[in-house]
Amino acid sequence: MAAKDSNQGLNKYGNLDLDLFKKHEIESLIQEQNKRFQVICSSKNDAIITSDESKRILFWNKGAEYIFGFTSDEAIGQPITLIIPHELHHSHNEGMERMNQGKEPRVLGKVLELKAVKKGGEEFPIELTLGSWDNDGKRYYSGIIRDITEKKKAELIILNEKKKSEELLLNILPKQVAEELKSKGKATTKRYGNVSILFTDFKDFTVMASSISQIKLVKELNEIFSHFDDILESLQIEKIKTIGDAYFAACGLPEKNTDHAHRCIEAAKHMFRYLEVRNRKNKLQWKMRAGIHSGPVVAGVISKKKFAYDLFGDTVNIASRMESNGEVGKINISETTYELIREKYNCIPRGQIHAKGIGNLNMYFLE
């Protein structure tokens, strides 16, 4: 019987030992969780703030002290609006009341980008993740807050660099073509049935270039062509490129319009007026010719490095011949262009003139 009682005692003590083991295991888990919580709470990267339904701060960790500048003694017991910009107080109070009433929360569990206020009154951007729980009939709220000032600075730098890249791309390509290139990685070659091409060139440019320094020559050309760029932009004409002292532009692409010939003529007239004023003020005299022809072209982006938007077809060659067969101070146009503008402008027929590589063409000077 004694042995039996002894075995029963062992079983009994064994069960007691198991209960104690479970208790110790639970206590260890609680201690581990507390340690983890303490580590998280001691982090300077994130502020952890707890408040109750009265909207007063109950818990304020080291991260909150570091980010906001208030010590825990200064913050605990204060309204949570201590760190909220004044203009957001009303919306914050409305949201808290809505959650206190048990209504569906709009922000719980979401990462929100907001503004907060430091002890010195400085506003700064934050990321907030908000959670809530109920205990003994009361509701509590806890927010994890991260200062994202540096992140926002980096985003702004990236945004500005992207903007510069896009502006640079738009200086090389028409807007529609640039957008297609960005979205698809390539630009479609397109045929346009009727556009107008404007070419300008300077007489005796080679002689002029040999009479002044190359630096001064480039400076002069840059000033003139920059002004030409402004003229084209005001008339929604597309600059294609410059070739030495030649200036090549087109109207009616990539956005089609019906008055492309009129716009090219107005652009050329503005260019002549600008040079006339410039020549009156400067010793260096720029003597320009202008030629315009209208017709079909093919347009596309050439190469995959140093993109170039270019036009191809007889229309381009004929427009170039209009310029080279013109005279200083005059706009020389083809018969095709003449038919498009004859109702609005007076022109002087020049008859058929031989164009190199093309043959005889009817040409007109704009009065």
Side-chain angles (χ1 to χ4, degrees):
M1 292 294 293
K4 185 177 179 181
D5 289 338
S6 176
N7 289 336
Q8 286 177 344
L10 286 172
N11 290 337
K12 182 179 179 181
Y13 291 133
N15 290 335
L16 182 60
D17 288 344
L18 182 61
D19 290 340
L20 286 171
F21 175 77
K22 287 181 178 179
K23 182 180 177 182
H24 287 313
E25 185 178 32
I26 292 169
E27 287 176 349
S28 296
L29 287 172
I30 292 171
Q31 289 176 2
E32 186 179 343
Q33 292 297 327
N34 284 336
K35 286 179 181 178
R36 288 181 182 178
F37 179 71
Q38 290 300 323
V39 169
I40 294 170
C41 288
S42 63
S43 170
K44 287 186 177 181
N45 290 331
D46 298 307
I48 301 176
I49 302 169
T50 300
S51 67
D52 59 13
E53 55 195 15
S54 71
K55 308 167 194 171
R56 293 196 173 272
I57 298 170
L58 302 177
F59 178 79
W60 186 267
N61 78 330
K62 290 291 183 182
E65 290 185 347
Y66 179 76
I67 290 173
F68 291 97
F70 294 100
T71 66
S72 59
D73 290 339
E74 291 173 318
I76 291 175
Q78 295 295 321
I80 194 67
T81 49
L82 177 72
I83 58 171
I84 298 174
H86 181 74
E87 65 272 14
L88 298 179
H89 284 191
H90 180 69
S91 59
H92 165 75
N93 290 331
E94 280 190 339
M96 289 290 287
E97 288 300 326
R98 189 168 49 251
M99 288 190 288
N100 286 340
Q101 293 168 13
K103 294 181 179 178
E104 184 68 24
R106 300 176 183 174
V107 297
L108 293 183
K110 297 179 180 178
V111 179
L112 308 173
E113 287 194 4
L114 300 168
K115 289 281 188 180
V117 182
K118 294 187 178 183
K119 183 176 180 178
E122 176 193 351
E123 289 192 9
F124 66 106
I126 63 166
E127 279 183 351
L128 166 67
T129 305
L130 187 65
S132 74
W133 71 96
D134 296 320
N135 187 36
D136 291 334
K138 291 184 179 180
R139 173 159 287 194
Y140 297 88
Y141 302 93
S142 187
I144 300 175
I145 298 169
R146 175 160 292 189
D147 182 348
I148 56 171
T149 301
E150 295 305 316
K151 175 186 173 183
K152 286 297 178 184
K153 286 180 180 178
E155 286 177 354
L156 184 60
I157 291 171
I158 292 170
L159 189 64
N160 287 335
E161 290 303 316
K162 183 181 178 182
K163 185 178 178 182
K164 288 178 183 178
S165 298
E166 288 179 351
E167 288 174 351
L168 182 61
L169 193 61
L170 289 174
N171 276 335
I172 301 170
L173 304 174
K175 185 177 180 179
Q176 286 186 4
V177 177
E179 291 296 332
E180 184 182 11
L181 194 64
K182 285 193 297 180
S183 62
K184 298 181 180 179
K186 61 180 181 180
T188 307
T189 300
K190 295 182 180 179
R191 185 181 189 280
Y192 295 88
N194 198 9
V195 303
S196 288
I197 306 294
L198 167 65
F199 269 98
T200 71
D201 199 1
F202 293 106
K203 183 183 178 184
D204 299 328
F205 177 76
T206 305
V207 176
M208 182 188 298
S210 63
S211 66
I212 59 174
S213 71
Q214 297 299 305
I215 293 175
K216 181 173 176 59
L217 179 68
V218 172
K219 181 176 179 292
E220 290 272 327
L221 272 177
N222 180 58
E223 288 179 1
I224 293 171
F225 286 162
S226 293
H227 195 86
F228 286 6
D229 291 346
D230 293 338
I231 292 170
L232 262 59
E233 186 175 0
S234 69
L235 291 165
Q236 295 181 313
I237 298 173
E238 199 67 47
K239 176 185 177 180
I240 304 303
K241 60 184 174 182
T242 58
I243 311 161
D245 64 318
Y247 194 96
F248 175 17
C251 189
L253 58 77
E255 291 187 10
K256 297 179 181 180
N257 60 63
T258 57
D259 62 345
H260 47 83
H262 297 82
R263 295 191 194 192
C264 284
I265 286 172
E266 289 302 314
K269 290 170 72 173
H270 278 80
M271 291 172 176
F272 279 122
R273 281 196 287 268
Y274 165 72
L275 290 175
E276 185 180 349
V277 173
R278 183 186 180 89
N279 287 341
R280 284 202 299 265
K281 297 178 181 178
N282 294 279
K283 183 181 290 186
L284 199 62
Q285 300 293 293
W286 291 90
K287 301 174 183 178
M288 190 181 81
R289 298 182 298 257
I292 301 170
H293 174 59
S294 305
V297 296
V298 171
V301 176
I302 306 302
S303 185
K304 63 180 181 181
K305 293 184 179 180
K306 295 185 179 180
F307 298 122
Y309 183 72
D310 214 343
L311 308 184
F312 304 89
D314 290 340
T315 300
V316 178
N317 298 329
I318 294 172
S320 177
R321 295 296 178 262
M322 290 299 116
E323 175 275 311
S324 61
N325 283 279
E327 294 180 8
V328 171
K330 293 183 178 181
I331 304 171
N332 190 37
I333 65 175
S334 68
E335 186 168 25
T336 307
T337 302
Y338 169 74
E339 293 298 331
L340 295 174
I341 58 91
R342 61 187 298 178
E343 301 296 328
K344 188 173 180 179
Y345 298 95
N346 292 325
C347 297
I348 301 171
R350 299 181 64 197
Q352 287 202 336
I353 296 175
H354 183 74
K356 183 180 178 181
I358 296 173
N360 294 332
L361 297 172
N362 287 322
M363 300 184 190
Y364 299 79
F365 276 142
L366 199 79
E367 281 191 332

